[in-house]
Amino acid sequence: PVPWSAADAPNVAYAPHWYDFFTLFVKRFSRWLNIDTFRRRPVIGLRSIIRSFSRQIRTLLDHSRDHMNCVPTLIGEVGIPFDMERKRAYRTGDFSRQTQAMDATMRALERNLVSFTLWNYNPVNTNLRGDLWNDEDLSIFSRDQQQASRRGSAHRIDAGGRALKAVVRPHARKIAGKPLHMGFDMRRRRFRLRFRHDPTVTAPTEIYVPAYQYPTGARVLISDGTFELDCEAQTLLYRHTQTRALHWVRVDPAG
């Protein structure tokens, strides 16, 4: 491809789509086997699968750097199919496979510190008709799951959500510098952020701490500085010191 140049249109963003195509097409997620569609070869084991996902996403970021003069990159679509295994979860209520698939995708995105649009939220999704387009069923919400949930808890704000354990993740909304690492361990509910501060930024770093993951509160550890945790607003404000360049924030379940 011809490299981007100063003569090309300004204010452009690169918004490629990325999916775990193996899971998307076979509608089954395996922790032990996947296919790297970029390299066209099998991948064995969950750690290798996540590394493969991360490497594929990194290839898209490298395209922006090498051929588009480093224009901002947003993964324009990314998500997982919920109608796996012939819609088995709709009959059993067990969305653990979908949750594992979503977590693997989210971990790969976090490793690349990339912005993305999660595909999708569809307020009229149903188990029978999916997203009402092209037989797709990728919505993190369904009216049918909402009805099933309401039978047990009538007005929960998350009623109807699918794989929310993997979707609703703590993350940094604003960082007072350059992020170096951000990741969430879904099983342990542990969030980690490392960054190098920008001396010209005086505003605090702002982190979303969802009550969904921390219903009884959170334990916060920091490398330096001070923090304020507002559980009602689900927000952690971290103010770093200027005496060191690198900083880290850790969030764990309370207790």
Side-chain angles (χ1 to χ4, degrees):
V2 178
W4 208 256
S5 72
D8 288 296
N11 302 321
V12 170
Y14 177 44
H17 298 177
W18 182 85
Y19 288 94
D20 166 12
F21 282 107
F22 181 72
T23 298
L24 186 66
F25 287 114
V26 304
K27 294 190 178 181
R28 183 180 297 271
F29 179 74
S30 170
R31 294 167 54 90
W32 315 113
L33 175 65
N34 202 282
I35 301 295
D36 188 324
T37 53
F38 282 35
R39 296 186 173 187
R40 299 183 181 180
R41 67 185 189 189
V43 183
I44 308 298
L46 183 59
R47 290 185 180 181
S48 296
I49 289 170
I50 294 173
R51 282 197 297 267
S52 171
F53 290 177
S54 180
R55 187 167 51 244
Q56 292 173 51
I57 294 169
R58 172 53 57 185
T59 299
L60 300 177
L61 300 178
D62 290 345
H63 180 80
S64 169
R65 180 196 65 197
D66 297 338
H67 303 292
M68 300 186 71
N69 200 29
C70 290
V71 300
T73 298
L74 165 78
I75 305 301
E77 281 188 25
V78 62
I80 61 110
F82 282 89
D83 54 341
M84 294 183 189
E85 301 174 339
R86 298 182 180 180
K87 303 186 179 184
R88 178 182 177 187
Y90 304 163
R91 300 187 297 273
T92 66
D94 180 2
F95 283 82
S96 57
R97 287 294 186 189
Q98 290 85 344
T99 301
Q100 293 169 2
M102 181 67 79
D103 182 57
T105 288
M106 297 292 277
R107 288 171 66 181
L109 292 163
E110 289 170 344
R111 288 188 180 190
N112 283 286
L113 299 169
V114 64
S115 298
F116 61 92
T117 302
L118 186 62
W119 192 265
N120 65 51
Y121 170 83
N122 189 325
V124 296
N125 176 284
T126 65
N127 292 347
L128 177 63
R129 300 297 301 279
D131 297 334
L132 302 179
W133 187 84
N134 202 31
D135 201 33
E136 290 188 359
D137 195 350
L138 283 77
S139 177
I140 62 171
F141 168 87
S142 174
R143 286 183 178 271
D144 288 321
Q145 271 69 66
Q146 183 182 46
Q147 292 301 319
S149 178
R150 280 183 172 174
R151 285 196 290 270
S153 183
H155 299 293
R156 282 203 341 244
I157 193 172
D158 57 351
R162 297 162 151 182
L164 295 189
K165 186 177 179 181
V167 173
V168 184
R169 307 166 80 85
H171 61 271
R173 291 170 171 155
K174 304 173 184 177
I175 301 176
K178 180 180 180 180
L180 302 175
H181 168 81
M182 184 174 70
F184 178 62
D185 183 328
M186 181 184 71
R187 186 172 67 86
R188 295 182 175 89
R189 292 182 291 149
R190 293 177 175 175
F191 172 78
R192 302 291 185 262
L193 171 70
R194 285 190 291 109
F195 69 96
R196 183 186 304 275
H197 81 249
D198 181 339
T200 65
V201 177
T202 58
T205 293
E206 181 179 314
I207 300 171
Y208 172 57
V209 182
Y212 186 91
Q213 298 289 355
Y214 306 101
T216 60
R219 176 171 177 259
V220 179
L221 297 174
I222 56 177
S223 58
D224 58 277
T226 62
F227 72 88
E228 300 170 15
L229 176 62
D230 187 334
C231 293
E232 184 175 350
Q234 303 181 94
T235 300
L236 168 65
L237 296 180
Y238 167 59
R239 293 176 172 84
H240 64 267
T241 66
Q242 296 288 340
T243 56
R244 55 185 292 169
L246 301 179
H247 313 274
W248 53 259
V249 180
R250 302 175 182 175
V251 180
D252 296 314

